[in-house]
């Protein structure tokens, strides 16, 4: 019982001391008449300085956090501490002290109708009570602070994504009072905004910020407006490791087929098709976090398109090399059959060979290969002479068109298909390196 009595006595002394000096030099007898005097005759529906000029309202912000930045919705979600100061001559009281009243008494005072015009969703925190602060100074200055979380629109230019730099704004306007009623200003200029310097974001870093004062012009009049501008630079390292490096490795992997024999059809086709499908999957995954329908051709889309072109080009290169290889093998088989028939013949037989321009001509096969070569050369000479005579005699006749077509087709004939792979080993890496230099110079420095 003695311990309980001592505790009760201690609480009584503390409460009595706090009750007597809770407002500095004021005692309880002075406090109640002062509050009653301030509220007596006070009309919260009339702004201060009514019919005497506009009310000057100073603003300051503390950015507690920027929770999310969405490229799909083009907005960001931020939690801010908004502080507003103005002077109300009806709330002047004697002394040099300030009075902090309960936030629930805000309904008894006049407060500005400040709002965020670009806000999509917003709410006032109410745990454990509504996060409001009202402090009245002896000269009539009122400090009104509140904690807000808002989702605010931000127009983004994604043409250089992910090497982009976005400039977002936070605007504060008066809803009903125009410039003849209220005037907004930043209390300390750029220093009125705190918290952006130490803010840490997942994909962005705050590059710079500044404040400005402007006017919002609507059909109903001109209204005061304060704007906070802040620039966000995206951290590209994540995208380099997530998208750029895998796409480069896929391009390099497609070049491995240049060192595989052209006769290994399953191996080269497997590498080509696998890299194409993997690149397609990578392109689809890179677009999941971006708007599906927009007018932006993003930098990452350009790079993935370049990589896909090189990978698909490697697959087409093998198709061309394999085609010419099979064509040359067919010619070699025909020549081999001719030699076999030549060796089996009696020595004076003739094997008719139909050419594209003279179908009735035949080659007489002698007893030696030299005669065959000489006869072929003579036949080619005669063909050229006949072609020249026909062109000179008939002009642009059908035979001359066939001759030009034959020569144009022969220009695309590859004597050694293995040279295609040898040249591709140099052309593909050199072209990819050159395109990369142009790409990074344009998107990083222009």
């Amino acid at each position: 019982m003695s311990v309980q009595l001592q505790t009760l006595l201690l609480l009584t002394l503390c409460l009595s001391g706090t009750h007597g000096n809770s407002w500095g030099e004021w005692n309880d007898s002075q406090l109640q008449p002062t509050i009653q005097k301030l509220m007596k005759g006070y009309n919260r529906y009339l702004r201060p300085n009514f019919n005497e000029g506009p009310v000057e309202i100073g603003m300051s912000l503390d950015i507690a956090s920027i929770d999310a930045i969405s490229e799909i919705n083009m907005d960001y979600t931020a939690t801010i501490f908004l502080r507003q100061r103005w002077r109300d001559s009806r709330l002047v009281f004697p002394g040099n002290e300030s009075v902090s009243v309960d936030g629930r008494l805000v309904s008894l005072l006049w407060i500005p109708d400040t709002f965020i015009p670009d806000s999509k969703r917003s709410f006032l925190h109410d745990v454990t009570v509504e996060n409001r602060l009202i402090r009245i100074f002896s000269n009539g200055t009122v400090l009104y602070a509140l904690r807000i979380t808002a989702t605010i629109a931000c127009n983004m230019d994604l043409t250089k994504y992910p090497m982009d730099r976005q400039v977002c704004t936070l605007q504060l306007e008066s809803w009903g009072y125009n410039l003849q009623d209220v005037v907004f200003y930043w209390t300390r200029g750029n220093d009125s905004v705190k918290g952006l310097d130490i803010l840490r974001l997942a994909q962005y870093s705050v590059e710079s910020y500044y404040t400005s004062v402007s006017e919002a012009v609507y059909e109903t009049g001109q209204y005061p407006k304060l704007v906070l501008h802040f620039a966000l630079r995206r951290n590209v390292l994540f995208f380099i490791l997530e998208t750029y490096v895998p796409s480069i490795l896929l391009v390099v992997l497609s070049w491995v087929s240049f060192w595989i024999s052209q006769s290994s059809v399953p191996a080269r086709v497997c590498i080509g098709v696998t890299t194409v499908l993997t690149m397609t999957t990578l392109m689809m995954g890179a677009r999941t976090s971006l708007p599906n329908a927009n007018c932006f051709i993003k930098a990452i889309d350009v790079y993935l398109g370049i990589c896909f072109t090189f990978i698909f080009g490697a697959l087409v290169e093998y198709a061309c090399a394999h085609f010419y290889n099979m064509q040359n093998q067919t010619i070699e088989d025909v020549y081999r059959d001719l030699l076999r028939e030549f060796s089996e013949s009696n020595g004076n037989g003739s094997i008719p060979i139909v050419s594209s321009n003279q179908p009735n001509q035949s080659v007489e096969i002698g007893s030696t290969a030299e005669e065959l070569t000489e006869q072929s050369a003579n036949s080619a000479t005669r063909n050229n002479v006949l072609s020249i005579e026909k062109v000179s005699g008939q002009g642009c006749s059908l035979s001359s068109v066939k001759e030009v077509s034959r020569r144009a087709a022969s220009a695309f004939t590859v004597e050694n298909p293995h040279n295609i792979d040898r040249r591709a080993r140099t052309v593909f890496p050199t072209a990819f390196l050159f395109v990369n230099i142009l790409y990074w110079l344009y998107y990083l420095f222009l």
Side-chain angles (χ1 to χ4, degrees):
M1 293 296 295
S2 59
V3 175
Q4 295 179 354
L5 289 175
Q6 292 177 359
T7 304
L8 181 60
L9 180 61
L10 181 61
L11 289 174
T12 303
L13 291 175
C14 292
L15 289 175
S16 62
T18 304
H19 182 75
N21 299 297
S22 58
W23 301 105
E25 298 178 355
W26 295 354
N27 54 31
D28 185 65
S29 60
Q30 292 175 325
L31 180 60
Q32 296 299 333
T34 302
I35 295 296
Q36 293 176 1
K37 181 180 179 180
L38 290 177
M39 294 295 102
K40 184 178 181 180
Y42 186 89
N43 190 350
R44 64 187 180 93
Y45 298 107
L46 295 179
R47 64 173 179 84
N49 302 335
F50 189 72
N51 290 332
E52 295 181 4
V55 181
E56 295 183 354
I57 302 175
M59 302 275 188
S60 63
L61 291 174
D62 275 2
I63 308 297
S65 64
I66 297 181
D67 304 323
I69 301 176
S70 174
E71 290 84 6
I72 297 179
N73 300 322
M74 289 196 178
D75 56 28
Y76 67 94
T77 302
T79 299
I80 61 175
F81 295 93
L82 174 61
R83 298 183 179 90
Q84 305 176 77
R85 294 174 181 266
W86 68 92
R87 188 175 184 277
D88 192 344
S89 59
R90 297 171 295 179
L91 299 178
V92 175
F93 59 88
N96 296 322
E97 299 294 333
S98 61
V99 178
S100 296
V101 299
D102 194 291
R104 288 168 289 189
L105 297 178
V106 67
S107 59
L108 302 178
L109 301 175
W110 177 91
I111 57 175
D113 55 352
T114 307
F115 78 107
I116 303 174
D118 294 335
S119 175
K120 297 180 179 180
R121 297 172 301 275
S122 59
F123 64 91
L124 178 66
H125 290 262
D126 55 0
V127 178
T128 57
V129 294
E130 288 188 348
N131 296 171
R132 300 173 184 263
L133 169 65
I134 299 178
R135 184 171 296 167
I136 304 175
F137 294 86
S138 58
N139 61 351
T141 301
V142 180
L143 171 63
Y144 178 49
L146 62 163
R147 180 171 172 240
I148 304 172
T149 294
T151 300
I152 305 170
C154 177
N155 295 326
M156 299 183 182
D157 183 6
L158 299 176
T159 54
K160 290 190 175 182
Y161 177 91
M163 283 84 70
D164 56 332
R165 176 180 179 270
Q166 306 298 337
V167 178
C168 297
T169 60
L170 174 60
Q171 304 180 26
L172 300 173
E173 295 182 11
S174 175
W175 174 256
Y177 295 104
N178 55 26
L179 288 174
Q180 284 72 34
D181 297 322
V182 296
V183 174
F184 286 175
Y185 69 94
W186 295 104
T187 55
R188 296 181 300 275
N190 291 339
D191 294 334
S192 302
V193 180
K194 302 293 184 181
L196 283 177
D197 296 332
I198 59 175
L199 205 60
R200 294 294 179 267
L201 303 176
Q203 290 189 14
Y204 293 90
S205 58
V206 180
E207 193 175 54
S208 61
Y209 68 92
Y210 65 95
T211 59
S212 64
V213 181
S214 61
E215 300 176 359
V217 180
Y218 298 101
E219 183 180 358
T220 56
Q222 297 179 345
Y223 298 86
K225 179 170 70 172
L226 299 181
V227 185
L228 166 64
H229 309 262
F230 57 96
L232 300 173
R233 173 73 66 178
R234 194 185 303 272
N235 300 323
V236 72
L237 181 60
F238 169 78
F239 297 93
I240 291 178
L241 299 177
E242 177 94 357
T243 305
Y244 285 92
V245 171
S247 60
I248 292 173
L249 294 179
L250 285 175
V251 174
V252 175
L253 180 61
S254 67
W255 299 342
V256 175
S257 62
F258 300 154
W259 280 267
I260 299 178
S261 175
Q262 293 181 1
S263 60
S264 302
V265 178
R268 296 194 64 163
V269 172
C270 180
I271 290 178
V273 174
T274 302
T275 51
V276 167
L277 294 179
T278 306
M279 193 67 206
T280 304
T281 305
L282 189 63
M283 294 173 66
M284 294 176 62
R287 295 190 180 98
T288 55
S289 61
L290 295 174
N292 294 325
N294 55 61
C295 58
F296 297 113
I297 300 177
K298 298 172 285 296
I300 195 170
D301 294 335
V302 174
Y303 194 82
L304 292 177
I306 292 172
C307 294
F308 184 83
T309 302
F310 275 89
I311 291 174
F312 188 76
L315 184 61
V316 173
E317 182 272 343
Y318 174 65
C320 297
H322 183 68
F323 171 77
Y324 288 120
N325 188 26
M326 296 300 296
Q327 188 181 43
N328 281 10
Q329 286 182 0
T330 303
I331 297 175
E332 291 176 359
D333 292 340
V334 172
Y335 182 72
R336 192 178 298 109
D337 293 340
L338 286 175
L339 292 178
R340 186 174 62 254
E341 294 179 6
F342 169 74
S343 62
E344 294 175 356
S345 65
N346 295 327
N348 294 323
S350 62
I351 301 175
I353 301 176
V354 180
S355 61
S356 61
N357 53 358
Q358 294 187 13
N360 297 325
Q361 185 181 3
S362 61
V363 178
E364 294 291 335
I365 301 180
S367 58
T368 61
E370 288 79 1
E371 295 178 0
L372 177 63
T373 305
E374 182 179 359
Q375 186 175 359
S376 300
N378 294 332
S379 177
T381 304
R382 289 195 298 271
N383 292 339
N384 293 333
V385 172
L386 291 174
S387 299
I388 294 174
E389 291 177 355
K390 288 182 179 180
V391 171
S392 60
Q394 300 178 3
C396 296
S397 62
L398 181 61
S399 60
S400 63
V401 174
K402 290 182 178 180
E403 181 67 18
V404 173
S405 301
R406 185 184 64 80
R407 292 180 179 180
S410 63
F412 294 96
T413 302
V414 179
E415 297 180 357
N416 188 3
H418 295 284
N419 290 334
I420 299 178
D421 285 343
R422 295 191 184 99
R423 294 176 182 176
R425 296 170 189 172
T426 304
V427 172
F428 272 75
T430 304
F432 188 68
L433 179 62
F434 178 73
V435 171
N436 269 271
I437 292 174
L438 293 180
Y439 174 86
W440 292 105
L441 285 177
Y442 176 79
Y443 283 106
L444 289 180
F445 301 103
L446 296 181

